[in-house]
Amino acid sequence: MEQAHTARRAADGAQRVRAAQYVRMSTDHQSYSIDNQKDAIRDFADAMNYEIVATYEDAGRSGLNLEGRAGLQRLLADIETKIADFEIVIVYDVSRWGRFQNTDESASYEYRCHAAGVRIEYCGEQFTNDGSIGSDLLKAIKRSMAAEHSRVLSVKVFAGQSRLIRKGYRQGGSSGLGLRRLLIDRHGCAKTALALKEYKNLQTDRVILTPGPPDEIATVRWIYDEYVKAGRTELQIARSLNARGVVTDLNRPWKRESIRQILSNEKYVGNNVWNHQSCKLKKKKVTNDATRLVRADGAFEPIVDRRIFDRARAIADARSFRMSNDQMLVVLSRLLERYGTLSGPIIDAAQDCPPSSRYRKKFGSLLRAYMLVGYDPSQNYRFLDIRKRLREILEEVVQTTIASIDHAGGSAVRQGELGVLRVNDEFTVSIAMARCRNTPYGYPHWLAAPEQCIAPDVKVAIRMSPDNQTILDYLIAPANEIGGKPLNLVLNKRLAFNTFFFRSLDPLFALAERAAITAAP
């Protein structure tokens, strides 16, 4: 009835209704391409006398949850903050809105739009989304079908990955020190070695592991010899490598954990083992027991003798016997008596103490473990006050930015996230705090929280002084100029990105300034 009424209005020359389109393409159905969805939505809008005035897009994004879907997040934020200048959102079908495992989640996002006065229409469905019992029932069925499709697809993908693992092919992850990833074609012929962050581009190609450079192989074998024959600990080995200037395969200093990873990974003896951890359907990551591992022994050429590897595993098991909670607290109390203070680095450096990660896992947090041994961590947890101070500074900068842009003749409207602004209705600005911390070597290092707004046009980071009380400078960088690099990398490569650091936010205000146009004489 509503479609017929709208069509009659179009025939009578009524004003076109303003609408937005939301399109999403996941990696599982190429038939649902972005262009195909837009074509179908355009035809539907023409037939219904709608005018498409805005587009929200999530390309290559899973529909399992809202995280990472910047287009849908921006759509909801624009609607609920009354920025949206449209009455309708057109989506191709229910599955493009999302394949949420909890169907109530999908319904909640649609309800939020309706509550703000914007209705959702599905142009590819055989029902009208008019709130009738029939349409609500069909939507519930469609949402369940979309969720079930993801569950079935997850099972099929896992089975396919397991089959490839058993055939000896590598499934993701870096090669590791002393090894390299080799690309082979479907006939098993070698094509090329893959460098870090290089991936195959043909679906029929496969990846296997092969021995790497001789110097890296020598380092791996030296680590095993030091651990098994010399009886040294992971921490002692890591310190020796750092003192010699040897870095990991990721060009980073060695830590106890990185040494432990080499000593425990079966790829060094040629075994292909997978599914140590799983995170199916965007749920919480879980660690799997040995019965759920998928493996192919002898899949690759080994670079470590199996007998030495087994001895290393036996030594590691003997050294890291599972203490009870009470035993762990006794060791922690002795460590407190020895040093008079406690911290993660102190715990990790102690050879007779379990790593700090195990205390976090057993007691929920280090803070809880500290309290159980009678240690007041307030002096080490000054960061709680610092975090409050940083939030206050961020809010102050955001408010100042809005006021300054308004004063310059522009407009800045806050989006759903804390530090995200829409400026002059033309571009988005993401403002983040960059807290200063000292590295183990005493150098300052700036850390920025992960961006909630995906792909803003301009990235702004407030770099704090070493005491985290005053602002040092600002990073103001167009996203395309820094090539999508992680914000933390840009913040700490001062020389490489020197042109983007400023003492004030004036360059940002200048971007938003409106110039008066003088009439021609």
Side-chain angles (χ1 to χ4, degrees):
M1 291 296 293
E2 184 177 358
Q3 287 185 344
H5 176 67
T6 306
R8 285 196 298 271
R9 285 195 303 161
D12 295 337
Q15 184 178 2
R16 303 187 74 184
V17 177
R18 297 173 67 82
Q21 60 180 339
Y22 173 72
V23 291
R24 180 183 67 83
M25 181 185 72
S26 57
T27 56
D28 55 351
H29 274 85
Q30 295 304 317
S31 60
Y32 284 115
S33 72
I34 295 294
D35 290 338
N36 288 347
Q37 293 175 58
K38 289 181 178 179
D39 289 344
I41 290 173
R42 183 186 64 247
D43 293 342
F44 177 81
D46 290 342
M48 300 299 293
N49 200 35
Y50 296 160
E51 179 185 4
I52 303 296
V53 298
T55 298
Y56 297 85
E57 179 177 319
D58 283 318
R61 295 294 178 180
S62 168
L64 290 171
N65 56 25
L66 193 61
E67 182 181 353
R69 294 173 63 183
L72 183 55
Q73 292 182 39
R74 186 161 57 89
L75 172 63
L76 295 172
D78 287 353
I79 290 175
E80 293 182 325
T81 57
K82 305 300 181 181
I83 298 176
D85 186 23
F86 46 80
E87 304 172 33
I88 298 169
V89 175
I90 307 174
V91 188
Y92 181 74
D93 64 14
V94 172
S95 70
R96 296 305 91 195
W97 188 250
R99 298 186 185 276
F100 302 99
Q101 292 304 289
N102 186 338
T103 57
D104 291 339
E105 182 178 359
S106 179
S108 71
Y109 298 138
E110 185 172 328
Y111 171 77
R112 287 165 58 180
C113 296
H114 279 279
V118 176
R119 71 177 188 270
I120 308 297
E121 292 196 15
Y122 302 103
C123 70
E125 300 289 5
Q126 299 302 313
F127 62 87
T128 302
N129 192 20
D130 56 4
S132 63
I133 294 177
S135 69
D136 288 347
L137 179 60
L138 286 172
K139 279 194 298 183
I141 294 173
K142 289 280 188 176
R143 288 167 182 152
S144 296
M145 291 172 60
E148 180 62 20
H149 171 83
S150 293
R151 287 191 285 268
V152 172
L153 184 63
S154 175
V155 173
K156 291 181 178 179
V157 169
F158 181 81
Q161 290 176 312
S162 299
R163 181 179 63 85
L164 293 176
I165 288 294
R166 294 188 181 99
K167 291 173 73 69
Y169 299 128
R170 182 76 172 171
Q171 289 289 298
S174 63
S175 59
L177 192 76
L179 298 170
R180 288 296 182 269
R181 294 178 300 145
L182 178 65
L183 188 67
I184 61 175
D185 62 20
R186 60 181 178 176
H187 302 295
C189 298
K191 296 180 67 174
T192 184
L194 296 174
L196 189 64
K197 297 185 179 180
E198 287 185 349
Y199 306 96
K200 68 175 188 176
N201 54 14
L202 293 179
Q203 190 172 4
T204 56
D205 286 347
R206 297 289 177 251
V207 177
I208 62 173
L209 291 182
T210 59
D215 59 329
E216 292 188 13
I217 295 176
T219 298
V220 171
R221 291 172 176 170
W222 179 85
I223 290 173
Y224 273 89
D225 286 342
E226 291 295 297
Y227 189 76
V228 173
K229 298 177 181 179
R232 304 183 72 191
T233 66
E234 296 103 325
L235 185 61
Q236 290 172 333
I237 296 172
R239 288 173 174 171
S240 295
L241 290 171
N242 291 333
R244 290 161 45 191
V246 179
V247 295
T248 68
D249 58 306
L250 300 177
N251 201 32
R252 298 172 181 169
W254 290 89
K255 296 182 180 179
R256 180 165 69 172
E257 291 76 13
S258 49
I259 297 294
R260 183 177 301 156
Q261 196 276 336
I262 285 184
L263 292 170
S264 62
N265 201 312
E266 292 188 53
K267 64 186 177 183
Y268 290 104
V269 292
N271 295 343
N272 197 21
V273 185
W274 182 71
N275 200 37
H276 288 284
Q277 292 183 322
S278 57
C279 183
K280 294 183 179 180
L281 297 172
K282 304 297 183 180
K283 294 182 179 178
K284 185 178 179 180
K285 182 181 292 186
V286 296
T287 300
N288 299 318
D289 57 35
T291 61
R292 300 186 63 185
L293 297 181
V294 182
R295 60 187 306 125
D297 293 343
F300 313 127
E301 181 181 347
I303 64 172
V304 173
D305 184 86
R306 180 74 206 201
R307 291 172 299 178
I308 295 180
F309 179 84
D310 290 340
R311 289 177 60 189
R313 292 286 294 269
I315 292 171
D317 291 340
R319 288 180 177 177
S320 61
F321 70 93
R322 296 296 177 181
M323 296 182 180
S324 67
N325 288 6
D326 290 339
Q327 289 174 322
M328 290 177 64
L329 292 176
V330 168
V331 173
L332 194 64
S333 296
R334 292 173 181 169
L335 200 63
L336 176 61
E337 293 177 3
R338 190 187 313 166
Y339 291 100
T341 185
L342 291 174
S343 67
I346 290 177
I347 295 173
D348 290 335
Q351 299 181 19
D352 57 345
C353 185
S356 59
S357 58
R358 193 173 302 169
Y359 281 97
R360 292 188 183 94
K361 184 176 181 179
K362 284 282 188 178
F363 301 100
S365 68
L366 280 180
L367 179 61
R368 173 64 177 163
Y370 293 163
M371 294 174 63
L372 290 174
V373 296
Y375 173 59
D376 179 10
S378 58
Q379 53 183 333
N380 286 346
Y381 277 76
R382 190 173 61 91
F383 71 84
L384 295 175
D385 294 330
I386 292 176
R387 288 176 61 182
K388 180 180 179 181
R389 169 67 175 160
L390 295 180
R391 285 195 297 268
E392 292 173 350
I393 292 176
L394 176 59
E395 178 63 25
E396 182 180 340
V397 170
V398 171
Q399 293 292 349
T400 300
T401 301
I402 294 174
S404 299
I405 291 176
D406 290 342
H407 181 72
S411 65
V413 180
R414 205 166 197 161
Q415 300 279 55
E417 293 85 1
L418 176 62
V420 179
L421 304 177
R422 181 75 177 171
V423 179
N424 294 338
D425 202 25
E426 296 173 348
F427 61 92
T428 54
V429 177
S430 173
I431 305 177
M433 292 299 302
R435 179 181 175 183
C436 183
R437 288 186 176 178
N438 287 330
T439 67
Y441 305 99
Y443 298 108
H445 183 79
W446 284 270
L447 301 174
E451 293 175 274
Q452 299 299 316
C453 175
I454 305 300
D457 299 300
V458 179
K459 295 184 179 182
V460 176
I462 308 166
R463 253 187 7 162
M464 300 299 292
S465 58
D467 62 359
N468 287 299
Q469 296 299 314
T470 58
I471 296 174
L472 179 65
D473 56 19
Y474 300 89
L475 167 79
I476 306 174
N480 62 332
E481 290 290 338
I482 59 177
K485 292 181 173 60
L487 196 54
N488 289 334
L489 173 64
V490 179
L491 287 166
N492 291 288
K493 295 291 184 180
R494 185 66 168 82
L495 293 178
F497 300 98
N498 187 63
T499 56
F500 299 120
F501 288 90
F502 303 91
R503 288 294 182 182
S504 71
L505 289 174
D506 290 344
L508 176 64
F509 304 151
L511 286 175
E513 186 175 358
R514 292 294 196 184
I517 299 178
T518 305

